[in-house]
Every structure is written in C-alpha cells, then in structure tokens.
Amino acid sequence: MHLIIAEKNIAAQRIAKILSGNGKVTATKEGGVHVYTFGDTISIGLRGHVVEVDFIEGYTNWRSQEHPPRSLIDADTIKRPTEPAIVKLIQKYAKKANRVTIATDFDTEGELIGKEAYELVRAANTKVPIDRARFSAITKEEITRAFSEPAQLDFDLAAAGEARQVVDLIWGASLTRFISLAAKRGGGNILSVGRVQSPTLAMPADREREIESFVPEPYWEISLTTEKDGETILARHASGRFTNKEEAQSAYEGTKEPLVVTDVKEGKRVDRAPTPFDTTQFIVAAARIGYSAANAMRVAEELYMNGFISYPRTDNTIYPPSLHLEGILTTLEKTKFAKDVEWVRRNRRAKPTEGKKSSTDHPPIHPTGVATEEQLGENWKLYELVVRRFLATLSPDAEWATMRIELDASGQTYIATGSRLTEAGWRTVYPYSEAKDSILPVVKKGEGLKIQDLNLEEKQTQPPPRYSQSKLIQVMEELGLGTKSTRHEVIQKLISRKYIEGNPLRPTLVGKAVTESLEAHACTITRPDMTQKLEQAMEAIKVKEKSRDGVIGDSRKMLHQVFDELEPNEAVIGQEIMDQTDEELTIGPCPVCGKDLRIRRKGGSQFIGCNGYPDCTFNISLPGTMWGSAVRTKKVCESHNLFFVSLVAKGSRPWEMGCPLCQLIEQQKEHYAKISSLTDAIAQKLLDAKIFSLYDLARFDPTVLAKKIGISKKQADTILREANEVLDIIRKRSECKKFMKQFIPPKRGRSHTKVMNGFAESGINSVEDIASAAIECLKKTGLSEEEAHTLKNEAISLVSKNKLKDIGIPAVSLKKYQEAGFLTPEDIVSAHPAYLAIKTGISIETVVKHVTLIAQSLGKPEPVKISKKVFDSGKNELIAIPGVGESTLEHLYRAGIIDKKTLLAAEPVQAAKLTGLSKDHVKKLQTAAGV
Ligand SMILES: [Zn+2]
Ligand SMILES: [Zn+2]
C-alpha cells in the first residue's frame, strides 16, 4: 500500500484526484479525518503542523521562584502532538504501507512539517521506504511529474525550520513572560514580545514619535493659468517651493504680462511593464485593491491549494526557463481572459520582464489553472490580479508623449507640463494603476498669452507618512526581518495583540509604551540587527554551513545578553509601561497656557511637560526615575489646581513631593535669594508675569523684561546680569554632578543630590574644584577613601586635559603623555624633555616644542632646545658605555644627562638624587665614560 501525506486535507484530495487519472477516488472519514483511497493508494492531509514544540514539564507557572523567565532560555524542549486523531491515523496506515510519500509544501516550513510526518511514520514502521514529492503548483502536470521522480526529504532544510521554531519559542516565551511580569500583567492581558515582532513594531512606533514631534514649516507656491484655443494651461513658478515669504511675495508681484512662451519641448517617456510577482509585490498589489496582507495570503493559499495559481510564497521574480509560458497562455484561452491572451499573443514582447531576484525553489506567482467568477466568488479578484500580472509581464512597455512649456512673465519663469499615453502597451491588460492624460494645447515659441489667474498659496511641510501594511512588509524584507512566509503573519499578530491599529498603521498606547521602554533599556530587542543575524544563521543551516543545535545555542547566548540588559531595569521597565498606559499622568492645567500638564519619562529621567509643547515650553523637572516613578496622588493644590505628585519606588515608602508648581516656585526662591538685586516685590512681579524659573528669567531681553514687570531698564540690566551669574554656577554644578555620577554610584542614603549638597558646603561647585579639593573634604560627603581618590584623579585628568588642549597640545600627543603618567601641565614641564621623549615615544623635537608652550603659559623657564641629531648621537655615546642599557638611560635622562659631556660634567651627589641611581653607580659610569 502507498501512503501519501499532504500538507492539508484539500491538497490530499486534489492529489488523489490527479493521480487516480480521474479514476474513482473513495472518500471516507476515520476519527473525523478525511481519507482518500484509489487503487492501492491512500492520501491523507495533515493540518499543517500536527505536533508543536514546547518546554518540558515544570515551566508553566509564570511566578515560579525556581523557574524565573530567564530559566526558559536554557530549558529543554519537546514535541507534543496537537492533532492526535491525525497522528493516530498516519501511524495506523504507516504500519501497513510499503511506500510512503511526503507531499507537503515545498519550502522550509513544509519540509519541517514533512519531517514531523517522517518521524511519526518511522515510529510506527522502521523499514518502509519514505520518499518526498516536491511541486510548485497542484496541477496535473506538476503533480504527475513530482510523483514520477520522487526525491528524498531534505533534513537540512527541515533543520532550518526546526531551529526557527525553537528559537522563536525561547525568545517569545522568555521575553513575553519577563515584560508581562515586570508590568504586572497576566491572563489575557499579557504583553507579547518577540524576536521578529518587536523590531517590526518599533517601526510604526518610531514613526509615530517622528510625526508627533514634527514641526511643520510654512512654504509658498505660485501658479498661474492661461489659455489657448479655449484650453487651460496651468503653469507653476520655476522656483517651486519658496521658503521665504518675502521672496515669494516679490516673485508674485513681479509676475506681470507680457506672458511669452520661451521654450517648448516635446519628448517621449517609456513606462516599463511590471515584473513577475514575488510574495511581497503580490501583497503590495493586493493592498491597492483593498486586501490586508494576511487576507491576500489566505486567499492566495486557497487558490494554490485548488490548483488555480502557483505556490504563493516565493522570492523569485524571474521566470525559470523550464516554465512553459506558452502553455499557460493556452490554458488562459479557456477563461474570461481569452481576448487579453489574444492581444498579448499579437503584441508579445521578445522576452518576459524580469525582477532582480532569482531563486530555484519556486517560480514567480503565476496562474496554473482555469477558473470562473462563479466558481471563485470573492477570491476571483485576486485570481484575476495574478492572471493580469502574468499577461502584463509578457506585454510591451507603454509609452507617453510628454510636453514641457516654459513661460516668461516679466522676468519670472513658469513651467507647464503635460503628458499623453501614446502606446498603452501592458496597460491594456493590467488596468490597476491609473494612466491619466494631462494634455497641453499646441503653442509656439515666442507666442504671447494672457494671464488669467495668478495664485500665491501658503502651504505647510508634512510629517513623514505612517506605514501601510504592504509598505511595512517591504521594509521588513529590506531589513531581513522574518521570511516571505511569516512577514504578513507577524503584522497580523501585532494587530490582534492591539499593538498597532488602523490603516495606515498607528501604534496603540500599549504598543508605544512597550517599544519605548525596550528601546530605552534593551534596544537589542527592538533593533533589527540580532534578528537579521539569526535569520542568516538559519539560512546557513540549509546549506550545511551551520548546525541546528549550533544556531539554537548561539541564539541562547544572545538572549542571555539581552537579559543582562533587561534584568537590572526590570522595575523601571515595568513602571514605565504601566505609567504610560494608564491615564493617571495628567496633573492639571498649565499655568502658562492652560493646556494639560502631564508627567513624561524618557530613559531614566522624568519631568512634567505641557501638552501644548512645542508652542508652550513650560516644564518642571523631577528627580530621576531611580528615586521612584512620579505619579499623581489624590490631593490637589488649591492655589494651582494641580494634582500632587509622589515618587514611587519598589520596596520603599513613596516620596511625597506635593504640588509640583509650588515646589518649583519654592526652588526658584532659593535661586532668587542669590540674586541680591531681586527684591521680594520683584520676585512677586515675576510670578504674576508667569515667569516661574531662573532659566526663563535669564533668557529675557532687559528692555522686554523691564516693560513686562514694570521696572526700570537699569534694574532689569542688573537683575539679568546677576541671574546669568547664578545660572552659570548652576550650570557648572550640573556639569560637576554629571561628572561625579560617572564614577560614584548612588547608594541608599547617598543620592547624587546629597553628595552634591555636601560638595557645596565645602565650596566645591565644579570639576576644577574637585581636582583641587582635599581628599578629606570629598570623604565628608560619604565617599570612601578609594572613591575620593578615583574622583579626584579623574578630575585632575580631565581638568589637565582641557588645560593642555587649550595650551595647544594635540589630542594624539595628549593621550601619549597621559598613558605615560604625565597628567598635568606641571607634570610635563617639570620633567626633562629627554625623559619625556623616551617615556612617551614622542620625538625629542616635538617634546621640546610642547614643553616650551607649556612653560610659556605657566610662566616657567623654557627648556633648552635639543635637536634630534644631538639627542641621537648623545644616546649612542651613552649606550656605548659598558653597563648602560635602556633602563639606565631612562635614569640618566631624568637628570638631564643626555650625552658623555653632560655625564662627565654632573656632580655625583646631585646626579644620584635626580637619577635615582646610587652615587657609586654614577661615579662608576663617569669613570667608564672618561676612559
Ligand atoms: Zn503650557
Ligand atoms: Zn501649587
């Protein structure tokens, strides 16, 4: 008995019908599964995968202490039957079979489904020969051919599919579990995260941010209309978009009669016939006639299973030589398209059009069978699309006659363009894209015309467009995200999980929150790079360059890296997602413009911003999220009508901040107190004028400020000067804090702000101050001995670096001095140039130049010039002395002993002190040199 296993029931039925040679096929049902019998052959359809990959027992509990999300990365997986009735039936017939043919789809997924069937058969019957039939269409020719030349199962191809299954399971399960738990979500409310899904979601989410932050710019366009023989000519100013209103206005006013034709150009434009359909292009074309990507693929699959079109999952855009194009035309003669076929036959191009990609597994999507509208119903539209596209690829290019008229209106140039389809070509059989004529009347060069209408229009630049489904699929393909078989499914998943919605696609609140948080804390998940890498690794399995287990192992390592990024940020990620997704972030009306104030977060920082941004820039800064996420409480400030804010951190009591505006005003009072010319009365005037912060104040022009709050210009001048001085200190302190944060980690009871306050008490307000501060002062603020030393040294290094840079030492040399331990200008100027040269590897002449510069700036004596020649010959003299090697040389250079002469002239006791050698050693060298 011959057992045939197909991918789906419908395929099993059609294959049986074709192979029986239209003989009698008996259809029965066993355990709910269809079985098709003819002669000694039985054909059974699977339901795609009949087994699934899952983790071994013990990993189902999300909140298990023993198995946290990360443990899923290394958990073992098993295969579990999902369609027991089909599995049972296959094994029952496998026992009796003397030949088994696997006839699943021909691609990675199909090969894997085939391998699953293979394993089921082998488990029941170790001996029966198992072969494989591969075909690109379920038609009589293809099926007959495939079964008459059976091949073997491609285990490498299947292994690639298996790797994808396991990798996606591990990534999806561990990340989804981690993020959902972090954001305290469960049940039907989980936040799914995935290897392909998350970088795909990031595209519309990032785009939405771009759109939200887009500031439209005004521009102006000028057009005029004129007329010839009753036909209107619309001409646009040759400068196109004016970004300057005055220029536009002057061009507009300068446009006057006489209006004269200065040039007429006629030309021809070739409009290329479209290339054969691959999956992506098919989805794009289907989208134009109203199909979502998932729907288009579902219908295409159905059409394929029923033998109407070839396999719809293909990357190929070049018809292979083996494809019988003439035969397909003959087939189509029996359809509604007979007239189109006849036209194509008469006008056929020499060679069909070609795209850029050729692959060997499947040809481009093309029609394979005869269908009628009644038979297909709704699906007819996509069948027709495939047929017409096929016909178009055999049709000649279309041609347009073009016309360009240049006009002059008193020195202003205008241009009118027109075009007319002269050869419809492929457009005759492929009417999906509009071909609209815009015909211009015949005019001659030098001809005068009348201006009928002149228009100056103000327009605005537009933000980038949102993604459509088909555009997103195209970009996924470019970025190497997913495969031709999975891209549309990924998008469908994002829609069904309510991450994106609408057409064009927009991210939902949740979609945005999850993406932004991942981008801030674990951007490897949202960037395409890692997925691309895995995608390539899986391709390599197909050609035996990599093993399945190797790729899965590598992906586990990558995922561990991702968790290294994620785990320290668990609380922040969770809080960010929760906060962004709830509406509890609105604080109340903005004191400046009246729109809503809202708590906003970015990475580790948070602030209160105005919904009127960018028109209104009012904002209140808040402590970083490490002190807790800011949320509003139930209390409301009576004077400002704003909700109170508190900082909530896991495991500690919330930090009640009160009314954020009252806080801001209080804070500014501290600043204002430092401005001696600012009296309480003026401070009140500033508040009344809604100038809430020192930053806002310092930006004012003195005249404007004087007028706004009713003080004299002189008063305003003084206040502003002092305000800027205070601001300068604040800026320095903020730089200082940033610097300190790099080296001093926050600890319980030792916040960065607390350290800074301690610094201020000791008069330390800048990086320079740290560099010159006593270690004891630094330690007073809670730094350990080691931290204090590190911080001071880093400050010295940074300050010195900046000083040396200012003096004119190039960055390359600077690095060499620092590496050799010469940090400060003083370090350098007090060392002998010869010693510096040997320690840094910088040439002696350059060192002398540097030391001279530094000495000049410090007001110290300049070094003696030493030429390279003198230096080199002195070095040779010293090296020639017995007992002098590189290390002794270094000692001698320290004391400025650079040749025999200086050695002999040196006073031994003094030289011993400077070189660090013993007196006797120096004397011995002098004796040796004197000989
Ligand atoms: Zn506002
Ligand atoms: Zn208040």
Side-chain angles (χ1 to χ4, degrees):
M1 186 263 293
H2 182 194
L3 173 64
I4 297 171
I5 305 173
E7 181 138 344
K8 288 192 175 136
N9 173 50
I10 170 91
Q13 185 187 23
R14 279 191 51 82
I15 290 171
K17 200 169 157 199
I18 291 167
L19 290 180
S20 69
N22 283 331
K24 195 173 179 299
V25 177
T26 317
T28 52
K29 247 183 167 181
E30 285 184 47
V33 184
H34 291 279
V35 178
Y36 304 97
T37 315
F38 59 96
D40 191 26
T41 305
I42 288 176
S43 178
I44 299 176
L46 302 170
R47 203 166 284 162
H49 292 285
V50 291
V51 294
E52 69 172 4
V53 181
D54 199 358
F55 296 109
I56 54 165
E57 289 296 324
Y59 287 89
T60 42
N61 180 5
W62 279 45
R63 287 177 173 79
S64 157
Q65 296 288 325
E66 201 183 334
H67 296 304
R70 192 177 191 140
S71 70
L72 289 174
I73 302 176
D74 296 306
D76 285 329
T77 58
I78 46 158
K79 283 185 183 175
R80 196 172 279 148
T82 50
E83 301 285 347
I86 298 178
V87 170
K88 210 172 133 198
L89 199 64
I90 299 252
Q91 294 191 318
K92 172 184 159 191
Y93 285 110
K95 280 189 191 125
K96 304 179 199 161
N98 52 27
R99 178 186 171 195
V100 176
T101 301
I102 295 185
T104 49
D105 286 350
F106 175 25
D107 61 10
T108 315
E109 204 65 22
E111 209 68 18
L112 176 55
I113 293 169
K115 192 197 159 199
E116 289 162 6
Y118 178 98
E119 283 168 350
L120 294 177
V121 171
R122 271 287 166 263
N125 185 338
T126 52
K127 292 206 183 73
V128 61
I130 304 174
D131 55 31
R132 171 84 165 103
R134 290 199 182 87
F135 41 86
S136 286
I138 308 184
T139 59
K140 191 165 182 215
E141 285 151 30
E142 269 284 281
I143 294 295
T144 317
R145 180 200 52 73
F147 277 82
S148 65
E149 45 190 56
Q152 291 306 308
L153 203 69
D154 184 341
F155 287 93
D156 295 320
L157 191 57
E162 247 170 344
R164 175 182 303 282
Q165 245 185 356
V166 176
V167 168
D168 285 349
L169 171 73
I170 295 174
W171 282 66
S174 62
L175 290 172
T176 298
R177 212 174 269 197
F178 179 88
I179 299 293
S180 299
L181 287 176
K184 301 192 172 38
R185 290 199 179 215
N189 212 7
I190 58 162
L191 296 173
S192 142
V193 179
R195 189 180 64 86
V196 183
Q197 177 195 314
S198 296
T200 304
L201 172 61
M203 289 190 270
D206 290 348
R207 179 58 55 86
E208 202 63 20
R209 247 201 329 262
E210 267 178 76
I211 294 171
E212 279 165 7
S213 61
F214 183 82
V215 184
E217 303 271 351
Y219 68 90
W220 291 265
E221 274 181 353
I222 312 174
S223 62
L224 65 75
T225 52
T226 176
E227 178 228 52
K228 172 79 191 288
D229 305 333
E231 280 182 83
T232 306
I233 302 173
L234 174 71
R236 297 182 190 285
H237 196 283
S239 300
R241 289 183 176 188
F242 288 87
T243 48
N244 180 309
K245 191 177 182 179
E246 283 77 51
E247 278 173 27
Q249 192 65 36
S250 111
Y252 174 74
E253 280 157 15
T255 302
K256 289 192 182 91
E257 284 178 356
L259 181 67
V260 182
V261 178
T262 51
D263 194 27
V264 180
K265 274 202 186 84
E266 284 181 56
K268 205 175 86 173
R269 184 163 56 82
V270 174
D271 186 0
R272 302 263 306 149
T275 53
F277 267 153
D278 62 358
T279 304
T280 304
Q281 287 311 314
F282 167 72
I283 289 174
V284 170
R288 289 213 186 99
I289 53 172
Y291 283 83
S292 71
N295 262 343
M297 284 312 284
R298 184 185 51 73
V299 173
E301 193 115 337
E302 251 178 76
L303 291 172
Y304 157 74
M305 285 290 180
N306 288 290
F308 298 123
I309 66 170
S310 65
Y311 196 57
R313 292 166 181 175
T314 174
D315 284 330
N316 198 348
T317 49
I318 300 177
Y319 294 129
S322 59
L323 193 67
H324 191 31
L325 302 173
E326 192 52 46
I328 299 171
L329 284 177
T330 308
T331 306
L332 293 177
E333 268 173 354
K334 293 167 214 136
T335 65
K336 228 188 111 181
F337 306 103
K339 273 207 177 110
D340 298 291
V341 172
E342 194 199 2
W343 184 88
V344 170
R345 280 226 161 97
R346 268 189 287 118
N347 297 281
R348 192 159 160 185
R349 63 191 298 138
K351 237 180 113 209
T353 59
E354 288 186 350
K356 290 198 184 85
K357 285 172 299 170
S358 167
S359 62
T360 47
D361 49 358
H362 294 284
I365 306 169
H366 62 271
T368 55
V370 174
T372 63
E373 230 172 316
E374 295 71 47
Q375 197 178 2
L376 295 186
E378 261 302 294
N379 295 353
W380 169 260
K381 267 164 76 185
L382 284 183
Y383 172 75
E384 179 176 10
L385 179 68
V386 172
V387 169
R388 291 198 173 278
R389 180 68 161 221
F390 173 76
L391 294 174
T393 62
L394 302 182
S395 302
D397 294 339
E399 266 175 31
W400 295 77
T402 59
M403 194 178 191
R404 183 177 181 279
I405 303 173
E406 206 176 287
L407 301 155
D408 178 84
S410 306
Q412 301 292 332
T413 311
Y414 284 80
I415 289 160
T417 56
S419 57
R420 185 166 46 88
L421 191 62
T422 47
E423 290 291 339
W426 58 275
R427 289 178 174 278
T428 315
V429 292
Y430 195 78
Y432 297 102
S433 59
E434 215 182 348
K436 220 172 142 196
D437 288 346
S438 60
I439 299 166
L440 290 177
V442 178
V443 292
K444 278 198 228 52
K445 197 172 162 180
E447 193 173 334
L449 297 167
K450 288 248 170 293
I451 297 178
Q452 278 189 323
D453 224 348
L454 183 62
N455 278 305
L456 174 63
E457 272 178 291
E458 178 174 342
K459 294 183 175 173
Q460 281 193 328
T461 54
Q462 297 295 313
R466 296 193 172 89
Y467 287 99
S468 65
Q469 286 195 24
S470 56
K471 180 67 194 169
L472 194 54
I473 285 180
Q474 282 173 292
V475 180
M476 287 171 81
E477 188 182 357
E478 281 161 25
L479 292 176
L481 292 176
T483 69
K484 61 198 174 211
S485 320
T486 58
R487 286 180 198 120
H488 62 277
E489 288 169 3
V490 170
I491 293 178
Q492 202 50 44
K493 255 185 213 162
L494 289 173
I495 294 172
S496 66
R497 283 169 185 164
K498 303 226 168 3
Y499 278 155
I500 47 178
E501 61 189 7
N503 180 29
L505 300 165
R506 254 173 213 273
T508 60
L509 206 60
V510 186
K512 257 163 79 172
V514 171
T515 302
E516 281 174 18
S517 192
L518 290 179
E519 280 174 346
H521 304 289
C523 61
T524 20
I525 303 176
T526 50
R527 286 213 193 112
D529 313 52
M530 206 178 264
T531 285
Q532 268 167 12
K533 225 195 233 165
L534 280 171
E535 224 52 82
Q536 282 157 6
M538 287 185 251
E539 284 302 308
I541 298 175
K542 294 183 189 169
V543 288
K544 282 194 162 60
E545 276 169 16
K546 283 201 157 97
S547 73
R548 183 196 69 171
D549 293 345
V551 171
I552 295 175
D554 288 347
S555 93
R556 287 185 158 130
K557 273 184 217 143
M558 285 184 194
L559 193 48
H560 272 298
Q561 284 167 20
V562 171
F563 268 79
D564 288 343
E565 278 181 77
L566 278 177
E567 278 176 343
N569 293 309
E570 179 176 358
V572 187
I573 293 173
Q575 200 62 50
E576 276 178 5
I577 295 173
M578 284 188 281
D579 292 348
Q580 282 213 39
T581 46
D582 73 37
E583 292 294 322
E584 297 291 291
L585 296 171
T586 305
I587 299 299
C590 168
V592 177
C593 74
K595 292 209 171 97
D596 273 339
L597 289 180
R598 220 177 131 80
I599 297 171
R600 290 171 198 278
R601 299 209 163 91
K602 196 146 205 194
S605 60
Q606 51 190 349
F607 65 99
I608 293 171
C610 177
N611 275 356
Y613 182 85
D615 293 331
C616 174
T617 55
F618 179 79
N619 68 82
I620 302 172
S621 57
L622 294 169
T625 46
M626 68 176 74
W627 304 111
S629 291
V631 290
R632 74 177 192 194
T633 66
K634 292 203 169 67
K635 283 187 207 142
V636 176
C637 169
E638 283 179 11
S639 40
H640 299 116
N641 198 17
L642 296 176
F643 279 100
F644 282 19
V645 169
S646 75
L647 297 184
V648 188
K650 214 173 163 183
S652 53
R653 274 189 35 209
W655 172 6
E656 301 289 349
M657 294 189 58
C659 165
L661 186 53
C662 287
Q663 276 262 325
L664 177 70
I665 293 167
E666 204 50 43
Q667 230 174 54
Q668 299 308 312
K669 262 191 198 155
E670 242 175 76
H671 291 155
Y672 288 166
K674 294 183 188 129
I675 304 174
S676 49
S677 58
L678 200 138
T679 61
D680 286 351
I682 296 179
Q684 188 54 50
K685 283 181 180 173
L686 289 176
L687 278 184
D688 294 342
K690 293 177 179 174
I691 302 168
F692 293 105
S693 76
L694 183 59
Y695 301 94
D696 293 340
L697 173 63
R699 276 203 301 256
F700 266 94
D701 173 81
T703 322
V704 178
L705 181 68
K707 215 165 153 195
K708 191 161 178 137
I709 62 172
I711 55 174
S712 75
K713 165 90 177 1
K714 210 176 141 209
Q715 265 179 311
D717 277 333
T718 319
I719 289 176
L720 285 174
R721 200 195 62 238
E722 288 185 0
N724 276 297
E725 281 166 13
V726 173
L727 201 55
D728 202 46
I729 295 177
I730 294 174
R731 285 211 180 101
K732 276 216 174 108
R733 282 180 51 91
S734 132
E735 257 170 50
C736 180
K737 188 175 176 183
K738 232 192 242 164
F739 171 79
M740 180 264 294
K741 275 164 92 173
Q742 293 177 299
F743 308 104
I744 309 299
K747 270 194 205 155
R748 186 162 282 279
R750 186 186 79 180
S751 69
H752 286 140
T753 310
K754 218 166 171 185
V755 173
M756 280 309 291
N757 288 341
F759 281 178
E761 277 169 29
S762 307
I764 301 170
N765 288 313
S766 63
V767 181
E768 284 82 1
D769 292 346
I770 295 180
S772 55
I775 292 293
E776 286 313 308
C777 276
L778 296 176
K779 274 170 68 182
K780 261 201 299 198
T781 61
L783 270 57
S784 72
E785 180 85 24
E786 200 193 329
E787 285 173 331
H789 277 287
T790 309
L791 191 66
K792 185 175 161 112
N793 287 340
E794 292 287 349
I796 291 173
S797 163
L798 180 65
V799 171
S800 308
K801 220 194 255 173
N802 289 338
K803 256 196 225 159
L804 288 166
K805 246 189 238 163
D806 287 344
I807 289 170
I809 312 300
V812 190
S813 307
L814 201 58
K815 207 174 153 213
K816 288 182 182 162
Y817 286 120
Q818 297 228 318
E819 279 166 2
F822 302 99
L823 298 182
T824 67
E826 288 77 12
D827 287 346
I828 297 177
V829 86
S830 56
H832 193 275
Y835 184 55
L836 288 170
I838 197 169
K839 291 297 267 186
T840 60
I842 304 173
S843 83
I844 185 72
E845 283 168 358
T846 312
V847 169
V848 171
K849 213 170 75 195
H850 290 163
V851 177
T852 308
L853 280 174
I854 296 167
Q856 281 167 353
S857 91
L858 296 181
K860 296 216 168 162
E862 289 176 27
V864 209
K865 298 246 177 315
I866 305 166
S867 72
K868 189 172 183 297
K869 213 169 136 195
V870 168
F871 183 72
D872 286 347
S873 71
K875 186 177 173 186
N876 288 336
E877 282 173 26
L878 292 176
I879 291 279
I881 299 168
V884 177
E886 285 288 330
S887 121
T888 314
L889 200 62
E890 235 185 75
H891 283 285
L892 294 173
Y893 280 172
R894 263 193 212 189
I897 297 171
I898 59 163
D899 55 12
K900 236 184 195 173
K901 203 176 116 199
T902 42
L903 175 59
L904 289 171
E907 198 284 308
V909 179
Q910 181 69 13
K913 215 170 117 196
L914 290 173
T915 56
L917 299 170
S918 71
K919 197 178 82 185
D920 288 346
H921 195 169
V922 175
K923 275 187 179 163
K924 230 163 82 191
L925 292 174
Q926 286 179 324
T927 316
V931 177

